């Protein structure tokens, strides 16, 4: 039997609002729902027409959900794509209005991830992203240095990128792009990472294999095309529910990501929106594409290197 709602917003019944979302953390479902409600105007344009994946949590349990749950309201729009990895159709939700966002919040959906492509044009990326991941135990300072190197590379290529916290430990440097072939966007992203690494060789790396990173900031160029990225203003499944927050370039030195949470709305409800920060899409220069096509695809190279190392170990070559 369905629970009586604690309250109703935009026609959506909200239940158990005072329950904690995570084990050993007091943040409640009400705080999550209030946050989603507050950021809806800024966040919905980032989700509209993009297949949505969410991370739901209850206590110690958390899981990524791509399929729109059975029993979801019929007014939530969806789109279906074939998944090569699971060999089945996946029915993705399209979060395009406040009611849908509130409904997902009531389902304890904390994280909101979308691809860099739209439902209408799944083969055409709309943004170029470098995901900056710090080494274990590092603070944000080396990540900021890496982000500024990526910014310089993109500015020299004619872009004006924006930056946001990932909501976890790193930063995302993002710029909108004009329509281009998927493989060319992948290539350009690899080239941006390679150029940034040349600017900061002592503190950054594009090595996909973690053991090869040598305590440096990872310039992740694999967030391209159909890969998903956590949306700006999305909380993360961490204590306090930190938020992926747009940041001014001049303020990066003072940012502490874990301090930007669903309980600090003044950090992300004032100033320019993420959409405004991103500005106009610009064409990818051909030299960036050409350079990128000379760089091996990270996951493929890592797979071959892993097999090589395994064979060497079996032969006792070390």
């Amino acid at each position: 039997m369905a629970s009586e709602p604690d309250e109703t917003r935009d026609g959506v019944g909200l239940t158990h609002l005072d329950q904690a979302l995570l084990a050993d953390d007091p943040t409640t479902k009400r705080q999550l729902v209030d946050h989603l409600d507050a950021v809806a105007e800024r966040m919905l344009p980032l989700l509209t027409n993009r297949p949505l994946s969410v991370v739901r949590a209850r206590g110690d349990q958390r899981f990524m959900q791509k399929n729109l749950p059975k029993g979801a309201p019929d007014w939530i729009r969806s789109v279906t794509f074939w998944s090569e990895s699971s060999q089945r159709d996946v029915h993705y939700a399209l979060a395009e209005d406040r009611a849908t966002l509130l409904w997902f919040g009531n389902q304890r959906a904390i994280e909101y991830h979308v691809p860099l492509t739209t439902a209408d044009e799944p083969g055409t990326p709309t943004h170029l992203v470098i995901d900056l991941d710090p080494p274990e135990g590092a603070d944000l300072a080396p990540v900021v240095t890496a982000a500024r190197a990526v910014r310089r590379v993109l500015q020299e290529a004619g872009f004006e990128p924006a930056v946001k916290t990932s909501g976890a430990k790193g930063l995302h440097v993002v710029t909108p792009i004009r329509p281009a072939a998927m493989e060319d966007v992948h290539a350009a992203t690899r080239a941006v990472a390679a150029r940034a690494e040349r600017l900061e060789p002592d503190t950054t790396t594009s090595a996909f294999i973690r053991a090869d990173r040598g305590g440096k900031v990872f310039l992740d160029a694999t967030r391209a095309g159909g890969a998903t990225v956590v949306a700006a203003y999305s909380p993360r499944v961490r204590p306090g529910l930190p938020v992926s927050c747009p940041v001014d370039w001049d303020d990066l030195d003072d940012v502490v990501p874990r301090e930007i949470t669903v309980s600090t709305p003044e950090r992300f409800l004032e100033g320019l929106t993420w959409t405004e920060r991103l500005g106009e899409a610009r064409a990818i220069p051909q030299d960036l594409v050409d350079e990128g096509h000379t760089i091996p695809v990270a996951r493929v190279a890592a797979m071959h290197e892993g097999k090589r190392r395994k064979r060497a170990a079996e032969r006792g070559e070390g």
Side-chain angles (χ1 to χ4, degrees):
M1 185 175 180
S3 301
E4 284 294 318
D6 296 348
E7 61 178 271
T8 300
R9 302 185 199 178
D10 210 0
V12 178
L14 305 171
T15 58
H16 308 299
L17 290 175
D18 295 322
Q19 285 186 355
L21 290 165
L22 308 175
D24 302 320
D25 183 76
T27 309
T28 65
K29 186 172 163 183
R30 183 184 300 277
Q31 288 174 278
L32 169 65
V33 171
D34 285 348
H35 168 79
L36 294 173
D37 208 1
V39 302
E41 187 174 341
R42 289 175 173 243
M43 188 176 179
L44 284 170
L46 313 176
L47 306 180
T48 295
N49 197 30
R50 295 181 189 270
L52 177 67
S53 300
V54 299
V55 177
R56 296 171 61 187
R58 180 185 292 275
D60 290 327
Q61 298 180 338
R62 60 203 64 188
F63 60 96
M64 172 76 80
Q65 184 171 64
K66 297 183 178 182
N67 265 303
L68 182 63
K70 293 181 179 179
D74 57 11
W75 43 261
I76 295 180
R77 291 187 61 213
S78 65
V79 63
T80 300
F81 287 106
W82 176 256
S83 169
E84 285 295 334
S85 59
S86 58
Q87 290 293 295
R88 61 187 176 90
D89 282 333
V90 177
H91 307 285
Y92 293 93
L94 297 174
E96 300 183 330
D97 53 45
R98 174 178 177 243
T100 300
L101 208 53
L102 291 171
W103 184 85
F104 271 105
N106 194 55
Q107 300 297 307
R108 306 174 75 97
I110 296 176
E111 298 188 9
Y112 296 76
H113 298 250
V114 288
L116 302 176
T117 57
T118 64
D120 294 339
E121 297 286 345
T124 306
T126 58
H127 295 77
L128 185 153
V129 177
I130 299 292
D131 182 1
L132 305 170
D133 189 20
E136 191 67 33
D139 60 18
L140 198 66
V143 188
V144 170
T145 299
R148 288 180 173 142
V150 173
R151 183 192 191 194
R152 178 178 164 187
V153 169
L154 287 169
Q155 286 180 322
E156 290 174 351
F159 298 102
E160 282 298 336
V163 63
K164 68 182 181 74
T165 65
S166 68
K169 297 179 181 180
L171 297 172
H172 294 155
V173 180
V174 186
T175 191
I177 55 175
R178 290 181 184 169
M182 179 78 76
E183 60 270 20
D184 288 344
V185 178
H186 278 275
T189 308
R190 294 195 296 273
V192 170
R195 292 183 183 185
E197 184 177 3
R198 291 199 292 270
L199 289 177
E200 294 289 344
D202 295 332
T203 57
T204 67
T205 178
S206 55
F208 187 77
I209 299 175
R210 187 178 297 273
D212 293 344
R213 295 176 191 169
K216 299 179 182 181
V217 175
F218 177 41
L219 304 167
D220 186 355
T222 65
R223 303 284 183 180
T228 63
V229 178
V230 69
Y233 310 109
S234 170
R236 303 303 299 269
V237 181
R238 291 172 172 265
L241 269 58
V243 173
S244 179
C245 180
V247 182
D248 289 338
W249 283 104
D250 292 340
D251 294 339
L252 272 181
D253 290 322
D254 301 320
V255 169
V256 181
R258 67 177 179 273
E259 295 179 354
I260 306 174
T261 72
V262 296
S263 299
T264 61
E266 69 279 0
R267 299 294 295 271
F268 41 79
L269 291 181
E270 300 174 3
L272 295 176
T273 67
W274 183 239
T275 302
E276 291 168 335
R277 290 170 186 270
L278 288 172
E280 295 182 6
R282 304 184 185 189
I284 300 174
Q286 190 60 44
D287 67 299
L288 205 62
V289 174
D290 292 342
E291 179 180 341
H293 279 301
T294 69
I295 301 171
V297 176
R299 295 182 189 277
V300 175
M303 178 184 67
H304 290 310
E305 178 62 14
K307 291 179 179 178
R308 186 196 68 76
R309 292 181 186 184
K310 183 179 178 181
R311 289 194 298 269
E314 290 172 347
R315 293 193 298 266
E317 298 176 2

